[in-house]
């Protein structure tokens, strides 16, 4: 069985939400990651104009997946830091589940591929329990345990 992860991130600014006219920040990230053929496969623009998606390649080893996500995050952060120095701004990346009032209730997606799907369901059960336990506490409403599951559009 192999699986891959997608992590949604938002480009934010410490003095408030960035506006669509700040879209050159996104274009800078996409242009600079496109120069690296491996990184170009891992960094994408997502649904919102300031939303990035960091993707891993599919592996059976979770360490490789997390390493790729970390490398993509690090590369995007380095690009933002360089952009901030060049234009005297303060942009940074935030996981989408941490951005308030954006109706984003998740931010991590797992894609699985296997030959025997029944075995995959049985073998992934402990992992899914851990993920559900992690996601049951919402940053928007701590009193509702299944808030993320109920309001996720995926």
């Amino acid at each position: 069985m192999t699986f891959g992860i997608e992590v949604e991130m938002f480009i934010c600014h410490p003095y408030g939400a960035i506006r669509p006219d700040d879209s050159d920040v996104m274009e800078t990230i996409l242009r600079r990651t496109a120069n690296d053929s491996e990184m170009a496969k891992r960094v994408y623009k997502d649904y919102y104009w300031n939303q990035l998606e960091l993707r891993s390649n599919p592996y059976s080893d979770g360490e490789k997946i997390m390493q790729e996500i970390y490398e993509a995050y690090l590369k995007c952060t380095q690009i933002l830091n360089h952009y901030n120095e060049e234009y005297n701004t303060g942009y940074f990346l935030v996981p989408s589940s941490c951005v308030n009032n954006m109706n984003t209730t998740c931010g991590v997606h797992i894609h699985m591929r296997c030959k025997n799907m029944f075995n995959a369901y049985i073998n992934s059960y402990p992992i899914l329990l851990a993920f559900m336990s992690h996601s049951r506490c919402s940053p928007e409403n701590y009193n509702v345990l299944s808030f993320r599951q109920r309001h996720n559009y995926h």
Side-chain angles (χ1 to χ4, degrees), residues 30-84:
L30 296 176
R31 187 176 60 254
R32 291 186 184 170
T33 55
N35 293 335
D36 180 340
S37 62
E38 194 56 39
M39 198 58 62
K41 294 185 230 175
R42 291 193 245 153
V43 178
Y44 290 84
K45 181 182 180 302
D46 207 349
Y47 182 75
Y48 295 105
W49 64 268
N50 64 332
Q51 185 179 5
L52 285 173
E53 184 172 89
L54 309 180
R55 299 177 184 175
S56 75
N57 288 309
Y59 295 105
S60 58
D61 181 0
E63 286 290 321
K64 289 181 182 177
I65 292 170
M66 294 311 297
Q67 184 64 33
E68 284 193 1
I69 294 295
Y70 174 73
E71 288 171 2
Y73 173 77
L74 188 61
K75 180 70 171 179
C76 291
T77 300
Q78 289 170 346
I79 292 169
L80 276 178
N81 289 340
H82 183 265
Y83 186 93
N84 289 336

